[in-house]
Amino acid sequence: MKKLSTFTTRAAALAVSVLAAAPVFGADAPATLKDTFQNDFLMGVAINNRQIMEEDTNGVALIVSQYNAISPENVMKWEAIHPRAGTNGYDFGPADAYVAFGEKHHMMVVGHTLAWHSQTPAWVFRADDGRQLQGTNEADRQILLDRLHEHIQTVVGRYKGRVKVWDVVNEALSDGGENETNVLRRQSPWVRILGQEFIEKAFQWAHEADPDCILRYNDYSIENGPKRKRLITLIKSLQAKHIPVMAIGSQTHANLNWPTPQLEDEALTDIASLGLPIHITELDVDSSQRGQRNQSADVAANAQSGGGGQVSAADQKLAEQYGNLFRAFVNHRKDIKLVTFWGVNDRDSWRRNGNPLLFDGNWQPKPAFDAVIKAAKPVIATTASSKDSAH
Ligand code: XIL
């Protein structure tokens, strides 16, 4: 009871500071994510067009007060930034505005994503006469490699020195259990036409275009044993060939029961054995009834999933799961450099049926926000007194 009323008071204080965009100082200042975890990792959030354009002013106030890194939810995907073939094929406007937003607000700017099977226009995988490019045809392979090269050179080159981290390759690993023998996702046209070569070339070309940029391999459900094994196989093979893969992105589209604290801990330990920093790149926790069956971030699967109503006591269960996850992140803070939420509030979320974020549709912090703050290790600093007074 006491906890709940304290939360309500803090929520109200935070809401006032967010909505009025007025900083609150002194012992009553509400804790923020970026300050609370400043000695652990950067705190990021994926932002959409209305936030980039600063039309969603409440969203912007929350972004600026809580986070110190941003990811582009959609504006840098191939279909958005490079929708057409040919010399006039690029639309840089929204991506330019995104990068300018990050610089204006002194946030670390992440790029997402260069090579992915989804949200990539069909023309990329077709010859000029409209037929599908074939992996068995050397000339077809060269067409696709040339397109990938030109795309990466242009996009990474344009934001050189400004985008600090790029998701170079997204979701190239096979799903499925132990019986799935392919390391790479066969349904991806990149894999079908080029095999592992597209991954190797994408990292090399991104590195050439911006040698100082942190280049990330990003995927989902790599907590699960079989997929994690594939990740380790792939990354070790890249490392053996001196391919410049520099960080592992774990999307972490979770639900209330998955991953368990043990699985998360085991996965982080295992992934860290690659010797690369880990970024939690797309964190959310689906709390809808149907979302509990889903351990996939496949976009189609998530369009149908979610819904069926909220599980009972969803807010409390969400808080527990977020507490579990952040305790694991803090325990692995030696290896984790960035934790990014996939969306600002529940209403913005791609899994909005699952109310998966820390802030509700009115930008108010939920009990999960409090649970995340509580998962931090105590810091002996000026913020300590405000934290003490909050609990
Ligand atoms: C999602 C966006 O949030 C949606 O707005 C869009 O319609 C589909 O893609 N893995 C990723 C992200 O790497 O780019 C996806 O983002 C979610 C799954």
Side-chain angles (χ1 to χ4, degrees):
M1 224 24 223
K2 184 172 169 286
K3 222 185 260 167
L4 201 66
S5 65
T6 317
F7 173 76
T8 314
T9 316
R10 278 190 53 227
L14 180 66
V16 167
S17 73
V18 163
L19 294 174
V24 180
F25 297 107
D28 292 334
T32 67
L33 296 170
K34 65 179 174 187
D35 290 345
T36 302
F37 294 97
Q38 62 183 322
N39 296 325
D40 303 315
F41 26 70
L42 292 173
M43 292 294 319
V45 63
I47 67 175
N48 63 28
N49 228 337
R50 295 195 54 243
Q51 293 151 353
I52 293 168
M53 301 317 289
E54 308 215 12
E55 290 161 14
D56 171 10
T57 49
N58 290 327
V60 171
L62 202 50
I63 292 163
V64 171
S65 59
Q66 295 289 331
Y67 304 95
N68 45 25
I70 47 171
S71 290
E73 187 177 6
N74 286 301
V75 296
M76 283 181 154
K77 291 172 180 174
W78 196 311
E79 70 174 11
I81 203 168
H82 191 181
R84 297 169 302 276
T87 47
N88 189 24
Y90 289 90
D91 286 341
F92 291 118
D96 286 357
Y98 161 77
V99 176
F101 177 101
E103 289 176 340
K104 173 177 165 191
H105 297 295
H106 312 290
M107 307 176 91
M108 185 181 76
V109 178
V110 173
H112 172 83
T113 175
L114 299 169
W116 188 25
H117 61 276
S118 192
Q119 292 180 275
T120 302
W123 65 261
V124 176
F125 306 110
R126 294 215 172 117
D128 291 342
D129 62 9
R131 73 185 167 79
Q132 298 286 342
L133 298 174
Q134 299 298 325
T136 46
N137 178 332
E138 199 41 51
D140 280 5
R141 290 173 58 94
Q142 200 52 52
I143 290 173
L144 188 56
L145 282 171
D146 288 346
R147 281 182 187 153
L148 182 64
H149 191 182
E150 194 274 337
H151 178 82
I152 289 177
Q153 234 174 8
T154 305
V155 176
V156 177
R158 185 175 182 91
Y159 303 111
K160 181 174 186 233
R162 302 173 71 200
V163 166
K164 304 291 184 196
V165 179
W166 264 107
D167 279 330
V168 177
V169 174
N170 199 31
E171 303 182 352
L173 292 168
S174 281
D175 284 321
E178 306 282 359
N179 294 337
E180 167 63 55
T181 51
N182 289 308
V183 171
L184 300 183
R185 173 195 288 262
R186 298 302 302 167
Q187 314 91 295
S188 160
W190 292 111
V191 174
R192 203 163 16 80
I193 302 165
L194 296 173
Q196 187 172 312
E197 191 178 359
F198 91 95
I199 303 178
E200 299 170 4
K201 288 291 188 334
F203 277 97
Q204 283 170 335
W205 290 328
H207 189 51
E208 278 166 29
D210 187 351
D212 295 326
C213 188
I214 296 170
L215 305 182
R216 195 158 80 180
Y217 176 79
N218 192 48
D219 216 322
Y220 63 85
S221 299
I222 51 177
E223 296 82 356
N224 289 343
K227 196 160 177 183
R228 200 197 316 151
K229 244 194 216 157
R230 285 174 211 131
L231 171 80
I232 289 172
T233 303
L234 169 68
I235 302 300
K236 284 198 165 151
S237 139
L238 298 176
Q239 289 174 325
K241 295 178 174 178
H242 304 288
I243 302 298
V245 51
M246 303 173 193
I248 303 298
S250 177
Q251 293 186 6
T252 321
H253 290 294
N255 66 34
L256 296 176
N257 308 305
W258 177 89
T260 62
Q262 294 79 358
L263 183 64
E264 183 63 21
D265 179 62
E266 176 190 309
L268 291 169
T269 303
D270 202 15
I271 295 167
S273 72
L274 289 166
L276 298 175
I278 300 172
H279 296 184
I280 305 298
T281 52
E282 304 185 11
L283 180 61
D284 57 15
V285 177
D286 193 325
S287 64
S288 69
Q289 287 185 4
R290 281 187 216 134
Q292 304 317 301
R293 285 186 236 135
N294 186 25
Q295 296 183 3
S296 165
D298 187 78
V299 173
N302 277 276
Q304 294 142 17
S305 85
Q310 296 296 291
V311 301
S312 64
D315 266 357
Q316 291 313 319
K317 288 183 180 159
L318 189 78
E320 276 165 34
Q321 176 64 321
Y322 266 114
N324 290 339
L325 289 169
F326 269 81
R327 278 187 291 278
F329 300 160
V330 170
N331 284 338
H332 288 267
R333 64 187 201 167
K334 180 172 66 64
D335 299 304
I336 296 180
K337 302 296 169 206
L338 167 68
V339 176
T340 295
F341 286 86
W342 204 244
V344 176
N345 80 21
D346 285 342
R347 202 153 27 111
D348 305 321
S349 167
W350 74 308
R351 299 168 117 187
R352 62 185 68 76
N353 286 331
N355 291 339
L357 296 169
L358 302 188
F359 297 93
D360 69 19
N362 292 317
W363 302 277
Q364 305 304 308
K366 306 195 299 188
F369 176 85
D370 210 35
V372 166
I373 299 288
K374 271 206 284 193
K377 292 226 193 309
V379 206
I380 328 118
T382 46
T383 53
S385 61
S386 68
K387 270 209 205 118
D388 293 346
S389 70
H391 297 287

